[in-house]
Amino acid sequence: MADETILIIDDSADTRLLLSLRLKAQGYRTVFAADAREAITMARQTQPDAILLDLGLPGSNGFLVLERLKATSTLAPIPIIIVSAEEPDVAQTKALALGAAAFLQKPVVQRTLIETVEKALAVSRELAKTGA
């Protein structure tokens, strides 16, 4: 867990700060993006271990960002966890179909956030070991 980097993509500075504080308390490093363009750039530059992605982004939407990340060979293996205020009925199904590792409804409970991140990272590490 320690020394892993999480990219937080959210247009709300308050949300980015809250998620970052929760993750840093568990030993994670965090980096940020506030919109779709910055999200792709930061993912390419930092090659994070996991990504927390909001669906409501200025200039685009999280589904498009998710599709672009999953379509980029160097970024596709990174687990992406959707963290959204959108109703999960349709959004969760679509996000998972597009390759998201998990869907969390805002506001996110700390324990649920950490458990979801740890599970996504464990699956990612296992896939990397097996070469899948």
Side-chain angles (χ1 to χ4, degrees), residues 39-132:
I40 304 299
T41 301
M42 285 301 294
R44 285 186 176 136
Q45 287 176 355
T46 63
Q47 291 290 308
D49 297 289
I51 297 172
L52 300 180
L53 173 61
D54 183 28
L55 292 178
L57 296 173
S60 185
N61 70 58
F63 290 123
L64 182 59
V65 172
L66 176 59
E67 287 178 320
R68 290 194 58 204
L69 291 168
K70 289 299 178 184
T72 304
S73 62
T74 57
L75 303 176
I78 299 170
I80 300 172
I81 300 165
I82 303 299
V83 181
S84 180
E86 287 193 29
E87 286 298 317
D89 297 343
V90 175
Q92 181 174 8
T93 301
K94 183 173 181 180
L96 296 175
L98 291 173
F103 185 98
L104 297 175
Q105 181 76 30
K106 288 180 182 178
V108 179
V109 176
Q110 163 118 3
R111 188 165 94 192
T112 304
L113 172 68
I114 300 307
E115 287 173 356
T116 303
V117 167
E118 288 175 353
K119 181 179 177 184
L121 288 170
V123 169
S124 178
R125 285 190 293 267
E126 192 60 35
L127 289 173
K129 273 199 272 184
T130 62

Side-chain angles (χ1 to χ4, degrees), residues 4-8 23 28-31 48 50-52 117 121:
E4 290 172 306
T5 300
I6 312 295
L7 171 57
I8 301 169
L23 291 164
Y28 294 104
R29 288 188 311 264
T30 58
V31 292
I51 297 172
L52 300 180
V117 167
L121 288 170

